[in-house]
Amino acid sequence: MSAAARPVVNVYGEKEVVASLPLPAVFKAPIRPDIVRAVYTNVAKNKRQAYAVSVKAGHQTSAESWGTGRAVARIPRVGGGGTHRSGQAAFGNMCRGGRMFAPTKVWRRWHVRTNVNQKRFAVASALAASAVPSLVLARGHRIERIAEVPLVIADDAESLVKTKAAVTLLRAIKAYDDVKKVVASKKLRAGKGKLRNRRHTQRRGPLVVYGNDNGIVRAFRNIPGVELANVRHLNLLQLAPGGHLGRFCIWTQSAFAALDSVYADKSNYELPQHIVNVADLHRLINSDEIQSVLKAAGQAKTKRPFTQKKNPLKNAGIMKRLNPYAKVTKAQGAKAGKKAAPKKHVGASAAFVAELKSL
Amino acid sequence: MQHDDTIWAVINNNFCSYKLKTVTQNFCRNDYNVTGLCNRQSCPLANSRYATIREVDGVSYLYMKTVERAHTPAKLWERVKLSKNYTTALEQIDAELQFWPGHLKHRCKQRLTKITQYLLRMRKLKLKTNQTKLVPISKKIDRRELRREAKAEAAARLDKAIAAELVERLKAGSYDDVILNARESVWKKVLESDKVEVEEDQSESEDDEAEEYIEDEDEDEEMAEREMVEMSDFESDMEDLMDDDSDDDGASDDGRDEDESDEESDDSDDDDDEGEEEPVRPPSKKRAAPAPSKKAASKKRRGGKGGRGHVEVEYEHVGPARAMETSW
């Protein structure tokens, strides 16, 4: 599949197909989950707020060690008297009311910088993954009923103003199942986040990408789970939430058309190339180019030639297989042996036999 | 085809929402999976050319998907209805998946076999045992519903609704031929007042209405009651003494009932009413309408037993008498 042969994507109006656009090149970018995950973990750190324990925590005592000889541990103890606190241990991370081990500091490196090229690679990868229905399904979006992936809608959506109209539009393009999933998933967060203004959790719904905001943001933003993004500022945190590829994206026609130019306008930037153009191993192996230069296939199951060991010293055939020259050696040895060793007479001597006969 | 391996790499190593991991094995929760296991050959997402058997209401279908439709999720799966005959179904599978890889064909047939077997078992079970459906008790829900029922009943205010409905029916004239013992004046008053003045305080009025029906139907009993009351009701005697009204009928509730019946039967034809109401002379005292109660009550008795229209109205001290009665 060469990049030059770009399929055409249909633009959906209210009831039927309104137009068609060629697929932008981004959607053919290599899908690299490893890069996306690495970049995601970095970029996700950039919105963090500092936290730390108080600098003074655990040190607001003038405790001193009692030293040895008092039958107590040598940990610094609070001086003075008249209160429970006097004589109690202080300062150590093991002490009650002591400072923690390695008190957290605000100058921890909260934000991580990532190379621009890597960030762009990740975004391109995420976009490419959003065009693969299997990945979008695997991520958990309910897209079984939508007409096409990537899903592009007509530009009238950009001038929508009422949320009600937005919901009708989503229903018409069968994307509302995803919103229903979000609504059904709203639960109380497990853990202390409940008390820290992060009370509820819910799934993510579709991401609507627009070219020009003529009201679309306000129309869609109150629908649970739906997020908006301008084509020119695509966010990896939205395209691959959690570092998982395959967010369900709904494009407006102008956004889809603008994608190519967005990437063209980036100075000194070329979309990432595939390392291997044809990733499908099966297809490669069975292609004509490769099959034509292969040897003929052997038997599927080769017969084992011999499974029983036979003694070469007794079995001439085996000896021949092992050492074909053995025959020759043996023959030579036989000839030489014949002259050297006369045949021994076995049995009684001639004199005795004569004597026997004479009896 | 192009993406299959990449897809599988992503799904298997990263995240798949259909994957179900257990200690020994991985399962796939995707509806279209032939085997139910999560592996490279069985993943419907990672194989662009795939076939399954699915059963809906006892009918098996063969689903197929091909690369050409991979980008249109709505039309991805092509469905073929399989015959209910097992052998024919197998042949159908063979025909449809003729040029498909052998292992997929095999898996489809295996799945069809399993499906057929369990359907068979289901049918046998149905014949065998009496299929008593076990319904679990959900205490939480039952408790909740009970409480809600009680609240709803209280909120519905059935008595008021019933009263309103009855008056509506009266106005509509459905009781024209039934109620005959009403006074026209009383009748009209009720009709003019648009709402039914059912006062909570005076619960007797509701009782009256209820009682009235009983009386309408069973005149005899009413007669009997009255008689008994007359004899045993000392209060009424007292009242007689007090009010200087020689009233032997101390049963003021009877009188009240008659009032109600008066009012109600006003709706009926004037002719009928007049004919029957003639014997009723004394002014009736109404409970519902705030008409001035007249102390003077005549001794007018109901003439005969049979006449439904005969109403005796005897009132005395309505308020105190009633109070005394209730304080028994």
Side-chain angles (χ1 to χ4, degrees):
Chain A
M1 263 199 215
S2 57
R6 298 254 213 90
V8 150
V9 178
N10 291 323
V11 179
Y12 291 87
E14 276 184 41
K15 312 246 159 100
E16 72 299 298
V17 177
V18 166
S20 56
L21 298 168
L23 190 76
V26 209
F27 292 106
K28 295 286 176 192
I31 297 177
R32 291 284 299 270
D34 52 337
I35 294 182
V36 169
R37 181 193 290 149
V39 173
Y40 182 87
T41 51
N42 288 346
V43 172
K45 293 180 181 169
N46 292 340
K47 206 184 162 198
R48 297 200 291 183
Q49 288 184 346
Y51 63 85
V53 289
S54 167
V55 180
K56 301 184 282 189
H59 282 282
Q60 297 188 66
T61 42
S62 58
E64 273 202 36
S65 174
W66 288 356
T68 50
R70 294 255 232 138
V72 289
R74 291 177 278 173
I75 190 94
R77 291 175 186 277
V78 177
T83 173
H84 279 295
R85 185 75 175 125
S86 43
Q88 280 182 354
F91 287 153
N93 54 312
M94 62 284 217
C95 304
R96 179 178 180 273
R99 129 206 61 70
M100 64 180 272
F101 163 70
T104 48
K105 301 290 182 201
V106 280
W107 55 81
R108 177 196 301 225
R109 191 171 68 117
W110 303 101
H111 309 97
V112 181
R113 61 174 298 281
T114 332
N115 297 346
V116 172
N117 201 25
Q118 283 182 349
K119 288 194 276 194
R120 286 177 179 168
F121 199 127
V123 170
S125 238
L127 281 174
S130 77
V132 181
S134 297
L135 290 177
V136 182
L137 276 170
R139 206 187 157 273
H141 292 285
R142 304 282 183 267
I143 57 162
E144 290 93 348
R145 297 202 305 152
I146 63 171
E148 193 176 335
V149 169
L151 185 60
V152 187
I153 53 177
D155 268 341
D156 340 344
E158 287 184 352
S159 358
L160 281 178
V161 167
K162 297 289 287 176
T163 310
K164 207 165 188 160
V167 170
T168 336
L169 173 70
L170 285 178
R171 277 189 202 273
I173 57 178
K174 309 284 195 307
Y176 197 68
D177 291 340
D178 215 20
V179 176
K180 277 200 279 194
K181 162 199 88 168
V182 172
V183 172
S185 68
K186 188 161 181 195
K187 295 244 158 50
L188 276 183
R189 186 185 289 264
K192 284 272 177 359
K194 271 199 287 298
L195 329 171
R196 296 179 181 171
N197 305 330
R198 285 170 251 134
R199 197 149 173 92
H200 296 283
T201 49
Q202 63 188 28
R203 302 286 82 75
R204 303 266 205 143
L207 174 71
V208 179
V209 187
Y210 61 90
N212 312 299
D213 178 15
N214 296 327
I216 187 175
V217 175
R218 289 212 271 209
F220 277 91
R221 72 184 179 191
N222 204 26
I223 307 174
V226 174
E227 283 171 19
L228 275 299
N230 188 319
V231 206
R232 290 160 200 93
H233 316 289
L234 286 170
N235 192 351
L236 182 68
L237 304 175
Q238 287 176 332
L239 286 172
H244 296 144
L245 292 164
R247 179 90 187 257
F248 172 32
C249 298
I250 302 175
W251 302 84
T252 58
Q253 190 175 350
S254 47
F256 206 68
L259 252 187
D260 260 337
S261 57
V262 162
Y263 275 95
D265 289 345
K266 291 196 202 293
S267 56
N268 294 335
Y269 184 69
E270 300 285 335
L271 278 170
Q273 309 274 355
H274 287 260
I275 297 176
V276 177
N277 270 321
V278 185
D280 191 2
L281 210 57
H282 254 266
R283 196 192 157 113
L284 269 178
I285 290 174
N286 293 323
S287 67
D288 288 333
E289 295 92 325
I290 290 179
Q291 289 290 322
S292 56
V293 284
L294 289 177
K295 249 181 7 175
Q299 268 183 321
K301 284 194 168 175
T302 40
K303 244 179 105 179
R304 283 171 70 196
F306 39 88
T307 45
Q308 170 141 51
K309 180 183 184 275
K310 296 193 171 162
N311 193 354
L313 300 174
K314 294 193 185 158
N315 191 322
I318 303 293
M319 189 57 170
K320 180 182 175 189
R321 182 218 297 162
L322 287 172
N323 184 6
Y325 196 65
K327 191 177 178 188
V328 174
T329 325
K330 190 174 172 193
Q332 284 178 344
K335 271 190 201 162
K338 258 185 208 166
K339 290 186 182 160
K343 197 176 170 196
K344 253 188 154 180
H345 175 68
V346 179
S349 62
F352 183 66
V353 171
E355 201 176 321
L356 263 180
K357 284 186 184 168
S358 67
L359 284 173
Chain B
M1 292 293 184
Q2 182 200 12
H3 281 128
D4 283 357
D5 283 324
T6 349
I7 294 173
W8 178 246
V10 174
I11 286 178
N12 201 23
N13 300 326
N14 285 353
F15 179 72
C16 176
S17 59
Y18 299 104
K19 187 189 259 192
L20 191 69
K21 276 185 165 178
T22 38
V23 184
T24 39
Q25 216 175 23
N26 291 345
F27 294 102
C28 179
R29 288 193 300 117
N30 195 311
D31 291 335
Y32 290 95
N33 193 318
V34 206
T35 58
L37 307 171
C38 179
N39 48 39
R40 178 72 179 86
Q41 276 81 36
S42 319
C43 185
L45 300 177
N47 286 299
S48 22
R49 194 188 196 203
Y50 200 77
T52 340
I53 310 282
R54 279 176 84 181
E55 174 260 327
V56 178
D57 289 337
V59 185
S60 319
Y61 297 92
L62 170 67
Y63 285 81
M64 291 174 283
K65 80 162 184 171
T66 45
V67 211
E68 290 84 23
R69 299 192 300 264
H71 62 292
T72 50
K75 300 183 190 155
L76 185 58
W77 293 96
E78 181 193 340
R79 187 168 82 163
V80 174
K81 184 170 172 179
L82 294 176
S83 150
K84 286 203 173 160
N85 184 325
Y86 178 61
T87 353
T88 336
L90 284 179
E91 287 165 18
Q92 275 178 302
I93 293 177
D94 267 324
E96 293 286 340
L97 304 180
Q98 197 176 11
F99 302 110
W100 286 54
H103 63 93
L104 222 81
K105 259 192 286 195
H106 184 56
R107 290 262 181 257
C108 283
K109 289 184 190 168
Q110 278 185 327
R111 196 178 172 89
L112 177 71
T113 318
K114 264 265 150 42
I115 289 172
T116 329
Q117 285 172 345
Y118 78 61
L119 285 175
L120 206 67
R121 229 177 296 137
M122 278 165 68
R123 273 180 254 139
K124 280 198 190 145
L125 271 176
K126 272 216 175 84
L127 296 171
K128 209 182 284 187
T129 53
N130 50 339
Q131 298 275 309
T132 47
K133 188 172 180 194
L134 300 172
V135 177
I137 297 173
S138 36
K139 250 204 270 183
K140 177 180 181 184
I141 295 175
D142 286 341
R143 243 185 270 139
R144 194 209 305 154
E145 293 304 315
L146 216 67
R147 185 101 186 90
R148 285 195 183 163
E149 216 179 289
K151 286 188 193 170
E153 202 172 324
R157 298 201 290 185
L158 287 168
D159 44 8
K160 289 205 176 177
I162 290 172
E165 170 67 19
L166 286 176
V167 173
E168 280 305 312
R169 287 192 193 175
L170 280 178
K171 290 187 185 174
S174 49
Y175 298 127
D176 284 356
D177 50 340
V178 176
I179 297 169
L180 307 164
N181 56 353
R183 284 179 66 92
E184 203 178 328
S185 52
V186 169
W187 206 232
K188 283 212 175 112
K189 276 194 182 161
V190 170
L191 288 184
E192 276 155 28
S193 68
D194 260 38
K195 10 176 202 172
V196 178
E197 295 124 352
V198 179
E199 291 149 20
E200 303 279 350
D201 317 277
Q202 299 170 7
S203 52
E204 318 102 348
S205 45
E206 278 124 40
D207 296 342
D208 293 349
E209 288 198 358
E211 279 178 49
E212 186 175 357
Y213 267 89
I214 299 167
E215 279 157 33
D216 280 340
E217 289 160 7
D218 301 315
E219 292 292 315
D220 301 337
E221 284 176 29
E222 190 181 338
M223 282 289 289
E225 272 176 34
R226 208 174 295 142
E227 280 169 344
M228 282 182 44
V229 165
E230 280 169 11
M231 291 203 279
S232 58
D233 195 355
F234 291 110
E235 279 187 1
S236 59
D237 293 335
M238 294 264 295
E239 289 163 14
D240 289 343
L241 295 170
M242 277 173 14
D243 292 320
D244 288 334
D245 289 330
S246 51
D247 220 17
D248 43 316
D249 194 14
S252 21
D253 36 350
D254 293 336
R256 237 167 283 120
D257 300 336
E258 289 150 62
D259 278 344
E260 297 303 313
S261 61
D262 276 348
E263 299 156 12
E264 287 201 349
S265 49
D266 253 351
D267 237 358
S268 48
D269 299 343
D270 286 338
D271 300 331
D272 290 340
D273 281 341
E274 278 165 36
E276 287 163 26
E277 275 175 28
E278 265 174 41
V280 181
R281 253 178 239 134
S284 57
K285 297 174 188 175
K286 290 179 290 183
R287 244 29 216 133
S293 60
K294 298 171 189 174
K295 284 189 184 176
S298 71
K299 265 197 186 184
K300 202 54 194 255
R301 276 259 158 152
R302 176 180 289 205
K305 259 184 154 195
R308 256 189 155 215
H310 298 295
V311 176
E312 184 157 300
V313 181
E314 306 212 341
Y315 264 129
E316 306 222 344
H317 258 297
V318 176
R322 196 64 183 166
M324 282 164 71
E325 275 195 353
T326 48
S327 63
W328 256 77

Coordinates of all heavy atoms in Angstrom, one line a residue, chain A residues 33 37 132-135 137-138 140 143-149 279-281, chain B residues 1-3 5-7 10-11 14-18 45 70-74:
Chain A
P33 N 3.2 2.7 19.3 CA 2.7 2.8 20.7 C 3.8 3.1 21.7 O 3.5 3.8 22.7 CB 2.0 1.4 21.0 CG 2.6 0.5 20.0 CD 3.0 1.3 18.8
R37 N 3.5 6.3 24.2 CA 3.5 6.1 25.6 C 4.6 7.0 26.3 O 4.3 7.7 27.3 CB 3.7 4.7 26.0 CG 3.6 4.6 27.6 CD 4.1 3.2 28.0 NE 3.1 2.2 27.6 CZ 3.4 1.0 27.3 NH1 4.7 0.6 27.3 NH2 2.5 0.1 27.0
V132 N -8.0 3.8 12.5 CA -8.1 2.3 12.5 C -9.3 1.9 13.4 O -9.2 2.0 14.6 CB -6.8 1.6 13.0 CG1 -6.9 0.1 12.9 CG2 -5.7 2.1 12.1
P133 N -10.4 1.4 12.8 CA -11.6 1.1 13.7 C -11.3 0.1 14.8 O -11.8 0.2 15.9 CB -12.6 0.6 12.7 CG -12.0 0.7 11.3 CD -10.6 1.1 11.4
S134 N -10.4 -0.9 14.5 CA -10.1 -1.9 15.5 C -9.5 -1.3 16.7 O -9.8 -1.6 17.9 CB -9.2 -2.9 14.9 OG -9.8 -3.6 13.9
L135 N -8.6 -0.3 16.5 CA -8.0 0.3 17.7 C -8.9 1.1 18.5 O -8.9 1.2 19.7 CB -6.7 1.1 17.2 CG -5.6 0.3 16.7 CD1 -4.5 1.2 16.2 CD2 -5.0 -0.6 17.8
L137 N -12.1 0.6 18.7 CA -13.0 -0.3 19.4 C -12.3 -0.9 20.6 O -12.8 -1.0 21.7 CB -13.4 -1.5 18.5 CG -14.6 -1.2 17.6 CD1 -14.7 -2.4 16.6 CD2 -15.9 -1.1 18.4
A138 N -11.0 -1.2 20.4 CA -10.2 -1.8 21.5 C -10.1 -0.8 22.6 O -10.1 -1.2 23.8 CB -8.9 -2.2 21.0
G140 N -12.2 1.1 23.6 CA -13.5 1.1 24.3 C -14.6 2.0 23.8 O -15.6 2.1 24.4
I143 N -18.3 2.3 18.6 CA -18.5 2.8 17.2 C -19.0 1.8 16.3 O -18.8 1.9 15.1 CB -17.1 3.4 16.7 CG1 -16.1 2.3 16.7 CG2 -16.7 4.6 17.5 CD1 -14.9 2.6 15.8
E144 N -19.7 0.8 16.9 CA -20.2 -0.3 16.0 C -21.1 0.2 14.9 O -21.3 -0.5 13.9 CB -20.8 -1.4 16.8 CG -19.9 -2.2 17.7 CD -19.8 -1.6 19.1 OE1 -20.3 -0.5 19.3 OE2 -19.3 -2.3 20.0
R145 N -21.8 1.3 15.2 CA -22.8 1.7 14.2 C -22.5 2.9 13.4 O -23.3 3.4 12.6 CB -24.1 2.0 15.0 CG -24.7 0.8 15.7 CD -26.1 0.9 16.1 NE -26.4 2.2 16.8 CZ -27.6 2.8 16.7 NH1 -28.5 2.3 16.0 NH2 -27.8 3.9 17.4
I146 N -21.3 3.4 13.5 CA -21.0 4.6 12.7 C -20.7 4.2 11.2 O -20.3 3.1 11.0 CB -19.9 5.5 13.3 CG1 -18.6 4.7 13.3 CG2 -20.2 6.0 14.6 CD1 -17.4 5.6 13.6
A147 N -20.9 5.2 10.4 CA -20.9 4.9 8.9 C -19.4 4.6 8.4 O -19.2 3.8 7.6 CB -21.5 6.0 8.2
E148 N -18.5 5.4 8.9 CA -17.1 5.3 8.3 C -16.1 5.8 9.3 O -16.4 6.6 10.2 CB -17.1 6.1 7.1 CG -15.8 5.8 6.2 CD -15.9 6.6 5.0 OE1 -17.0 7.0 4.5 OE2 -14.8 6.9 4.4
V149 N -14.9 5.2 9.2 CA -13.8 5.7 10.0 C -12.7 6.2 9.1 O -12.3 5.4 8.3 CB -13.3 4.6 11.0 CG1 -12.0 5.0 11.6 CG2 -14.3 4.3 12.0
A279 N 4.1 -4.0 6.5 CA 4.3 -4.6 7.8 C 3.7 -6.0 7.8 O 4.0 -6.7 8.7 CB 3.7 -3.7 8.9
D280 N 2.9 -6.3 6.9 CA 2.2 -7.6 6.9 C 3.1 -8.7 6.5 O 3.4 -8.9 5.3 CB 1.0 -7.5 6.0 CG 0.0 -8.6 6.2 OD1 0.3 -9.5 7.1 OD2 -1.0 -8.7 5.5
L281 N 3.5 -9.5 7.4 CA 4.5 -10.6 7.1 C 3.9 -11.6 6.1 O 4.6 -12.1 5.2 CB 4.9 -11.2 8.4 CG 6.3 -11.8 8.5 CD1 7.3 -10.7 8.2 CD2 6.5 -12.4 9.9
Chain B
M1 N -5.5 -6.1 6.2 CA -4.3 -6.9 6.0 C -3.1 -6.0 6.3 O -2.1 -6.5 6.9 CB -4.1 -7.4 4.6 CG -5.1 -8.4 4.1 SD -4.9 -10.0 5.0 CE -6.1 -11.0 4.2
Q2 N -3.1 -4.8 6.0 CA -1.9 -4.0 6.2 C -1.7 -3.8 7.7 O -0.6 -3.8 8.2 CB -2.1 -2.6 5.5 CG -0.9 -1.8 5.7 CD -1.3 -0.3 5.5 OE1 -2.5 0.0 5.5 NE2 -0.3 0.5 5.4
H3 N -2.8 -3.6 8.4 CA -2.7 -3.2 9.8 C -2.7 -4.4 10.8 O -2.4 -4.1 12.0 CB -3.8 -2.3 10.2 CG -3.6 -0.9 9.7 ND1 -4.5 -0.2 9.0 CD2 -2.5 -0.1 9.8 CE1 -4.0 1.0 8.7 NE2 -2.8 1.1 9.2
D5 N -1.0 -6.9 11.9 CA 0.0 -7.2 12.9 C 0.2 -6.1 13.8 O 0.4 -6.3 15.0 CB 1.3 -7.5 12.1 CG 1.3 -8.9 11.5 OD1 0.7 -9.8 12.2 OD2 1.9 -9.2 10.5
T6 N 0.1 -4.8 13.3 CA 0.3 -3.7 14.1 C -0.8 -3.6 15.2 O -0.6 -3.4 16.3 CB 0.3 -2.3 13.3 OG1 0.3 -2.6 12.0 CG2 1.3 -1.4 13.8
I7 N -2.0 -3.9 14.7 CA -3.2 -3.9 15.6 C -3.0 -4.9 16.7 O -3.2 -4.6 17.9 CB -4.5 -4.1 14.8 CG1 -4.8 -3.0 13.8 CG2 -5.6 -4.3 15.7 CD1 -5.9 -3.3 12.9
V10 N -0.5 -3.7 19.2 CA -1.0 -2.7 20.1 C -2.0 -3.3 21.1 O -2.0 -3.1 22.3 CB -1.7 -1.6 19.3 CG1 -2.4 -0.6 20.3 CG2 -0.7 -0.9 18.5
I11 N -2.9 -4.1 20.6 CA -4.0 -4.7 21.4 C -3.4 -5.6 22.5 O -3.8 -5.5 23.6 CB -5.0 -5.5 20.5 CG1 -5.9 -4.5 19.8 CG2 -5.9 -6.3 21.4 CD1 -6.8 -5.2 18.9
N14 N -0.6 -3.5 24.8 CA -1.1 -2.3 25.4 C -2.4 -2.5 26.1 O -2.5 -2.7 27.3 CB -1.1 -1.1 24.5 CG 0.3 -0.7 24.2 OD1 1.2 -1.1 24.8 ND2 0.4 0.2 23.3
F15 N -3.5 -2.3 25.4 CA -4.8 -2.3 26.0 C -5.8 -2.7 25.0 O -5.9 -2.3 23.9 CB -5.1 -0.9 26.6 CG -6.5 -0.9 27.2 CD1 -6.7 -1.5 28.5 CD2 -7.6 -0.3 26.6 CE1 -7.9 -1.5 29.1 CE2 -8.8 -0.3 27.2 CZ -9.0 -0.9 28.5
C16 N -6.7 -3.7 25.5 CA -7.8 -4.0 24.7 C -9.0 -4.1 25.7 O -8.9 -4.8 26.7 CB -7.6 -5.4 24.0 SG -9.1 -5.9 23.1
S17 N -10.1 -3.4 25.3 CA -11.2 -3.3 26.3 C -11.9 -4.7 26.3 O -12.7 -4.9 27.3 CB -12.1 -2.2 25.9 OG -12.6 -2.4 24.6
Y18 N -11.7 -5.6 25.4 CA -12.4 -6.8 25.4 C -11.6 -7.9 26.1 O -12.2 -9.0 26.3 CB -12.7 -7.3 24.0 CG -13.6 -6.3 23.2 CD1 -13.1 -5.5 22.3 CD2 -15.0 -6.2 23.5 CE1 -13.8 -4.6 21.6 CE2 -15.7 -5.3 22.8 CZ -15.2 -4.5 21.9 OH -16.0 -3.6 21.2
L45 N -10.7 -8.2 16.0 CA -10.2 -6.9 15.7 C -8.9 -7.0 14.9 O -8.6 -6.1 14.0 CB -9.9 -6.1 17.0 CG -11.1 -5.9 17.9 CD1 -10.7 -5.2 19.1 CD2 -12.2 -5.1 17.2
A70 N -13.5 -2.8 5.9 CA -12.9 -2.6 7.2 C -13.1 -1.2 7.8 O -13.1 -1.0 9.0 CB -11.4 -3.0 7.2
H71 N -13.3 -0.3 6.9 CA -13.4 1.1 7.4 C -14.8 1.6 7.6 O -15.1 2.7 7.9 CB -12.7 2.0 6.4 CG -13.4 2.0 5.0 ND1 -13.4 0.9 4.2 CD2 -14.1 3.0 4.4 CE1 -14.0 1.2 3.1 NE2 -14.5 2.4 3.2
T72 N -15.8 0.7 7.4 CA -17.2 1.1 7.6 C -17.8 0.2 8.7 O -18.3 -0.9 8.4 CB -18.0 0.9 6.3 OG1 -17.8 -0.4 5.8 CG2 -17.7 1.9 5.3
P73 N -17.7 0.5 9.9 CA -18.1 -0.3 11.0 C -19.6 -0.7 10.9 O -20.0 -1.8 11.3 CB -17.9 0.5 12.3 CG -16.8 1.5 11.9 CD -17.1 1.8 10.5
A74 N -20.4 0.2 10.4 CA -21.9 -0.1 10.4 C -22.2 -1.3 9.4 O -23.1 -2.1 9.7 CB -22.7 1.1 9.9

